[in-house]
Amino acid sequence: MNSVRHHGRDTAYRLSDRGGDAPGLLCIHGSGGTSAVWKAQSRLADRAPVVAVDLSGHGDSDDVDAAAGPEALEAYTDDVVAVADETGASVLVGNSLGGAVALWTALDRDVDLDGLVLAGTGAKLAVLEDLLTWLDEDFDRAVEFLHGDDRLFADPDDRLTELSAAAMRDAGAAVVERDFRTCHSFDVRDRLDEIGVPALAVVGERDKLTPPRYHEHLADNIPDCELAVVEDAAHLAMLEQPDAFNAAVSEFLDRL
């Protein structure tokens, strides 16, 4: 792992670079995740450098004292900007909460970007009230719910489920709840026309957490945005169907 120091904390990231000359990818995980969810995207390193960040409080990164909502979103955006500055990566690839961070970076920060890949995410990310309650009162039930059919995975595989659940437990209930409440407060539907770089909205066809209509909205309202649907996948399509996901990203890089 590499790290960059900023705002008094260290943010960790992984870098795969096999000499690809396309704009570098900076992959941003979702709620309770880590850079490990992007392990299969390292296969794209022949096309472009691939960076995957651990947001504050996740994986190997220091935590941050930030309240859920706009304050946490700003802190996570600071993480991404710091890693982008350090690595030169200019295509943000964000899943779920990571998609919100990618959108906020493009809208609110002076960063030279070449593109956005918005995966399993949306311009508004309302969270089921029952899930918010379980995150506060019964963390194990929340983790179990998220790993049911057609949520994080279309057809949960024991290996992938354990990877995802372990990351959430390692982050801890407070951080994961902060993540989901930050998603719940996020809404940039009225600002999508301000996105000035090409974008790709990619979604697992069976994603019940951020369903295809969320991505259709992104494609319809971001000035230059295409839609890609990954079959036999749900919210974490990059883990569940990595070849199809990577093909969509590779085609997107071809048009930058």
Side-chain angles (χ1 to χ4, degrees):
M1 292 291 283
N2 303 287
S3 67
V4 59
R5 188 153 187 85
H6 66 99
H7 298 84
R9 63 186 185 271
D10 290 328
T11 294
Y13 63 92
R14 302 176 188 272
L15 171 63
S16 299
D17 187 354
R18 294 192 292 274
D21 58 4
L25 306 174
L26 174 44
C27 302
I28 314 162
H29 62 78
S31 297
T34 71
S35 57
V37 300
W38 302 105
K39 60 182 183 177
Q41 281 58 63
S42 64
R43 302 172 195 170
L44 292 167
D46 291 330
R47 293 288 322 275
V50 179
V51 181
V53 63
D54 285 342
L55 296 175
S56 289
H58 305 74
D60 290 331
S61 289
D62 292 342
D63 203 357
V64 63
D65 183 12
E71 188 176 335
L73 180 64
E74 288 285 352
Y76 293 153
T77 303
D78 288 339
D79 296 337
V80 168
V81 171
V83 174
D85 287 345
E86 183 77 4
T87 63
S90 60
V91 177
L92 303 184
V93 184
N95 171 248
S96 197
L97 169 66
V101 174
L103 283 167
W104 195 246
T105 303
L107 289 167
D108 203 56
R109 298 300 180 92
D110 184 17
V111 180
D112 188 14
L113 298 178
D114 287 305
L116 297 174
V117 177
L118 304 169
T121 192
K124 178 178 171 60
L125 291 172
V127 177
L128 183 71
E129 288 291 345
D130 282 348
L131 177 57
L132 293 175
T133 298
W134 297 332
L135 286 164
D136 180 46
E137 299 177 358
D138 190 346
F139 185 57
D140 287 340
R141 183 174 183 181
V143 172
E144 181 181 0
F145 170 82
L146 288 165
H147 291 88
D149 290 355
D150 295 340
R151 295 186 183 112
L152 293 178
F153 301 106
D155 186 12
D157 169 277
D158 287 346
R159 178 180 57 86
L160 293 180
T161 297
E162 181 52 37
L163 172 72
S164 174
M168 288 188 177
R169 293 191 174 97
D170 286 346
V175 169
V176 178
E177 183 180 2
R178 180 179 73 194
D179 289 351
F180 275 98
R181 290 193 180 277
T182 298
C183 286
H184 194 58
S185 71
F186 182 73
D187 186 353
V188 294
R189 288 175 296 176
D190 62 346
R191 297 191 62 190
L192 292 179
D193 61 351
E194 299 175 33
I195 300 293
V197 295
L200 172 69
V202 55
V203 59
E205 65 170 345
R206 291 170 58 181
D207 186 353
K208 289 182 178 178
L209 297 178
T210 54
R213 69 177 183 276
Y214 284 29
H215 302 76
E216 292 165 3
H217 181 83
L218 292 170
D220 288 343
N221 290 277
I222 294 174
D224 182 4
C225 185
E226 295 184 353
L227 175 68
V229 179
V230 178
E231 296 181 356
D232 299 320
H235 196 59
L236 299 181
M238 67 284 194
L239 268 177
E240 196 167 25
Q241 298 293 344
D243 291 343
F245 185 94
N246 287 355
V249 173
S250 186
E251 289 176 11
F252 176 66
L253 287 174
D254 286 340
R255 69 182 184 92
L256 296 183

